Amino acid sequence: MAGEESARFVRRAGIAVTPELLEQLDADVRQLAHEYLRHPPYTMFKLLSARRHDIFELIDSHPRPAYLPDLYHLAGQLSALLAHASSDLAQPYASSGHARAAWLCADLSGDDALRAYVCWVQSQVAYWQGDFTRAAELADAGQRFVNDGSNILRLASQTARSRAAVGDERGVNQALTVAAEARDRALHEPKPAGVFYFAPGKAAYYASEARLSLAGDANARRAVLDAEEALALFAAIDDGCSPELIAAAQLDLASAHLALSNLGAVMEHLQPVLALTAERRTMSIVQRMTKVRQALTDTARTADLEERITLFCAYPAAHELPPGPE
């Protein structure tokens, strides 16, 4: 509380933008990027929105031109995180609007890494809306802006699962090769803050999801290995890992075992996900769970399991949102 009081004092010391204020705002954004991995998207949304409002007000106050690129950079990062949170909360229209704001800010600040991140968010929105071709195009477009390992890993992994969804096995293999090379690079580079870093564990379950989409026993066995690697990498993170990321990997692992008719393993990996609290049931988690339910055979589907999955999907994170205007 005392630390936040000091930060608030710096932010409100005067309307003029100063190097100290920019330093404080940058620290704020970095902290929010870390917190995004620890808290549900709805609780983060309010914090992100409030801090972006402060920065927009500073931009509107006509600061010195030399400070504008930094302010646009920070506003763009927060807009990108708002787009990410809106996507998690199954709000594609809002997510697209925040992504456009982030893109404009990235353009005004000249921040290519932010452009790449926005392309990934836009690709995510298209992917979970079922527009897989558009998702692949956006992920490919983002790669022209970056040369760091983390962002290449993020976009190549997204390309792989988007192309897998349309049955483009050659495109998947090419993208996974790029991702593997980028992953090695990312391990030896400075890590971006929090959610702006694309963890190798996340890349592993993206690869698992891509293999699952291609279908066939060989791909299912590789999907098992990728999802198991994802969970092992998440377990090795010193300060813990986002429950949503772990749940995504567990659901991909359950789906892979289901494709191989390993029903005991399916139940083993579904159980912890079914215990996930409602505010953490992001749109992608619910869609994964829905796919599992659709793939369950009559012999695997019990009345109790069917009821638990139905209840799980009926209370997603978006259920926490207040009703919109009528």
Side-chain angles (χ1 to χ4, degrees):
M1 291 176 63
E4 173 56 25
E5 185 177 25
S6 294
R8 191 163 54 246
F9 171 77
V10 173
R11 289 195 293 267
R12 296 181 178 178
I15 195 168
V17 178
T18 64
E20 291 76 19
L21 176 57
L22 289 173
E23 183 179 348
Q24 181 59 57
L25 292 172
D26 181 67
D28 290 345
V29 172
R30 291 176 63 84
Q31 182 63 24
L32 288 168
H34 285 295
E35 292 296 322
Y36 195 100
L37 295 174
R38 302 187 182 104
H39 299 288
Y42 180 57
T43 59
M44 289 304 304
F45 192 92
K46 296 178 179 180
L47 298 172
L48 294 166
S49 181
R51 190 61 65 244
R52 188 183 67 165
H53 176 76
D54 293 342
I55 295 175
F56 278 167
E57 283 197 329
L58 288 171
I59 292 172
D60 289 340
S61 73
H62 306 293
R64 293 179 183 177
Y67 294 139
L68 281 173
D70 287 333
L71 289 171
Y72 281 124
H73 167 78
L74 294 167
Q77 285 185 308
L78 291 169
S79 295
L81 292 180
L82 285 168
H84 193 175
S86 297
S87 178
D88 283 342
L89 293 167
Q91 302 293 316
Y93 177 79
S95 181
S96 296
H98 291 308
R100 284 190 289 273
W103 184 268
L104 177 60
C105 289
D107 190 49
L108 291 168
S109 67
D111 186 346
D112 278 344
L114 182 54
R115 287 188 179 102
Y117 188 83
V118 175
C119 283
W120 173 74
V121 172
Q122 292 173 320
S123 179
Q124 287 272 82
V125 174
Y127 181 84
W128 292 112
Q129 290 294 303
D131 191 350
F132 305 120
T133 300
R134 176 67 173 156
E137 291 171 349
L138 285 163
D140 288 343
Q143 292 191 54
R144 74 178 186 267
F145 295 112
V146 292
N147 57 17
D148 66 291
S150 179
N151 272 310
I152 294 174
L153 179 60
R154 182 197 313 276
L155 291 160
S157 299
Q158 178 67 9
T159 294
R161 68 175 182 175
S162 299
R163 297 208 177 280
V166 295
D168 180 5
E169 187 162 4
R170 180 181 177 184
V172 171
N173 290 329
Q174 289 175 339
L176 289 179
T177 298
V178 172
E181 295 172 353
R183 175 173 161 176
D184 291 338
R185 288 179 53 190
L187 294 174
H188 299 93
E189 296 174 348
K191 288 175 58 175
V195 72
F196 291 120
Y197 175 67
F198 194 75
K202 195 167 184 178
Y205 81 67
Y206 271 43
S208 178
E209 189 174 354
R211 292 299 178 190
L212 283 168
S213 294
L214 292 175
D217 286 355
N219 280 316
R221 285 191 288 271
R222 294 182 71 173
V224 167
L225 295 176
D226 286 331
E228 288 177 339
E229 182 187 22
L231 289 170
L233 289 168
F234 289 150
I237 295 176
D238 292 337
D239 56 351
C241 181
S242 165
E244 292 91 334
L245 297 184
I246 295 171
Q250 287 171 322
L251 283 169
D252 286 346
L253 184 53
S255 293
H257 280 299
L258 185 56
L260 295 169
S261 300
N262 298 331
L263 300 183
V266 173
M267 297 303 119
E268 175 188 349
H269 296 292
L270 277 185
Q271 294 304 327
V273 182
L274 288 168
L276 197 68
T277 57
E279 63 268 19
R280 293 191 179 275
R281 297 173 193 171
T282 60
M283 179 261 299
S284 63
I285 296 296
V286 171
Q287 287 206 20
R288 281 181 170 89
M289 184 65 81
T290 300
K291 288 180 181 179
V292 170
R293 179 172 58 185
Q294 292 169 344
L296 284 170
T297 63
D298 291 338
T299 54
R301 184 186 291 112
T302 65
D304 176 65
L305 180 60
E306 178 72 18
E307 181 180 358
R308 293 181 67 189
I309 292 178
T310 299
L311 191 61
F312 181 96
C313 295
Y315 290 91
H319 190 77
E320 302 295 317
L321 297 175
E326 296 185 2

